[in-house]
């Protein structure tokens, strides 16, 4: 285990070194850790002016890029081999809660914000690529479908999950209702194109298949406090 002197909000594994991971912290910094060296962080990047609430390592081949999102309303692009950020993305009018790379399109990431929008960015283009007013509430989480490069899901304080086809964002592709408090994290399955999991301040984890007439597959009520994060195993399709 590693210690840091402020809260840690998110973590991402390196895609090119099995021992390396990056955390994001309440003091606005990112920490790079090496599980083979337990002495402390390899590097600390301190650029965000407020809480660094999300961090994600690109999964597309041929690039080693990290994106972070902060309550200072900016996202930042990093190359872990470079000591400072490569670029800062501005445009959100509220805190950024989630920044997630597209698993398909190199240099493309999504961000979800307290300004009630989902935004799509291209690191090679100036400004924001797409702004989607996805909810009438703060959006705490988003994720990309692993089987459809145009499909992104959002989870919000209004207790709903919405799926968005980036080619036509006038209406959501699907809306999933069932949570009774804010949705904190949503993740698409790595094994099934229409399966996703969400967790919430209602203490539950829920599994959904948006292709079914009754999309709620299962509600797991084993937590006795806020459920703040979840992820699905890439190796075992039944493990969360």
């Amino acid at each position: 285990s590693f210690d840091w002197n402020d809260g840690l909000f998110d973590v991402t594994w390196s895609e090119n070194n099995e021992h390396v991971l990056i955390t994001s912290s309440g003091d606005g910094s990112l920490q790079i850790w090496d599980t083979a060296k337990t002495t402390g962080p390899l590097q600390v990047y301190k650029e965000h002016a407020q809480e660094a609430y999300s961090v994600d390592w690109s999964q597309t081949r041929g690039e080693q890029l990290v994106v972070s999102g902060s309550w200072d309303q900016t996202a930042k692009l990093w190359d872990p081999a470079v000591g400072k950020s490569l670029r800062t993305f501005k445009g959100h009018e509220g805190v950024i809660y989630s920044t997630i790379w597209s698993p398909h399109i190199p240099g493309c990431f999504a961000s979800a914000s307290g300004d009630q929008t989902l935004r799509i960015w291209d690191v090679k283009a100036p400004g924001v690529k797409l702004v989607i007013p996805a909810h009438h509430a703060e959006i705490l989480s988003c994720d990309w479908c692993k089987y459809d490069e145009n499909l992104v899901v959002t989870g919000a304080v209004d207790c709903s999950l919405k799926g968005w086809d980036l080619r036509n964002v006038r209406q959501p592709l699907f809306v999933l209702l069932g949570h009774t408090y804010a949705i904190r994290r949503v993740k698409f399955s790595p094994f099934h194109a229409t399966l996703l999991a969400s967790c919430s301040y209602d203490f539950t984890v829920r599994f959904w298949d948006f292709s079914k007439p009754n999309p709620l597959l299962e509600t797991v009520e084993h937590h006795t406090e806020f459920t703040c994060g979840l992820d699905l195993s890439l190796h075992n399709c039944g493990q969360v």
Side-chain angles (χ1 to χ4, degrees):
S1 72
F2 297 107
D3 289 311
W4 189 247
N5 55 11
D6 207 320
L8 299 177
F9 288 121
D10 203 7
V11 60
T12 184
W13 282 101
S14 164
E15 292 293 323
N16 68 348
N17 185 331
E18 65 186 50
H19 297 295
V20 170
L21 52 95
I22 299 182
T23 49
S24 67
S25 171
D27 62 11
S29 67
L30 306 181
Q31 304 78 29
I32 301 186
W33 309 90
D34 186 337
T35 59
K37 304 186 181 77
T38 54
T39 50
L42 297 179
Q43 270 184 299
V44 177
Y45 299 137
K46 177 90 172 72
E47 288 189 28
H48 283 298
Q50 293 181 44
E51 284 84 347
Y53 208 69
S54 70
V55 62
D56 195 36
W57 198 300
S58 174
Q59 295 171 23
T60 53
R61 287 196 176 94
E63 60 180 11
Q64 294 300 326
L65 295 174
V66 172
V67 65
S68 59
S70 170
W71 288 5
D72 67 11
Q73 306 185 4
T74 71
K76 284 181 180 285
L77 177 70
W78 310 82
D79 177 340
V82 178
K84 61 183 192 304
S85 64
L86 306 179
R87 192 176 156 196
T88 300
F89 299 86
K90 297 177 179 175
H92 274 297
E93 295 165 19
V95 303
I96 296 175
Y97 289 112
S98 182
T99 45
I100 304 289
W101 288 106
S102 165
H104 305 280
I105 308 162
C108 178
F109 70 91
S111 59
S113 168
D115 67 10
Q116 309 183 357
T117 66
L118 169 72
R119 295 179 189 231
I120 309 298
W121 310 80
D122 177 352
V123 301
K124 293 179 285 295
V128 64
K129 194 169 166 188
L130 189 60
V131 180
I132 304 162
H135 295 258
H136 296 295
E138 289 197 297
I139 306 168
L140 303 186
S141 185
C142 62
D143 196 31
W144 295 79
C145 179
K146 310 298 184 278
Y147 294 88
D148 181 346
E149 68 178 35
N150 291 301
L151 180 55
V152 178
V153 64
T154 51
V157 172
D158 62 9
C159 310
S160 74
L161 296 161
K162 294 184 182 181
W164 300 95
D165 183 334
L166 301 182
R167 294 162 299 188
N168 179 8
V169 297
R170 284 194 300 261
Q171 293 288 328
L173 197 63
F174 59 82
V175 179
L176 303 175
L177 302 172
H179 279 295
T180 56
Y181 282 93
I183 294 163
R184 179 61 188 270
R185 186 67 62 105
V186 58
K187 287 283 181 185
F188 269 107
S189 165
F191 292 95
H192 304 282
T194 58
L195 208 69
L196 43 95
S198 58
C199 67
S200 161
Y201 287 141
D202 65 13
F203 301 0
T204 70
V205 175
R206 293 174 196 244
F207 298 93
W208 315 80
D209 185 337
F210 68 81
S211 69
K212 290 188 160 36
N214 297 315
L216 182 58
L217 302 178
E218 190 181 356
T219 301
V220 183
E221 301 184 2
H222 60 306
H223 285 293
T224 56
E225 252 302 339
F226 294 157
T227 318
C228 291
L230 87 168
D231 207 354
L232 288 83
S233 170
L234 295 172
H235 308 288
N236 179 347
C237 69
Q239 199 169 63
V240 176

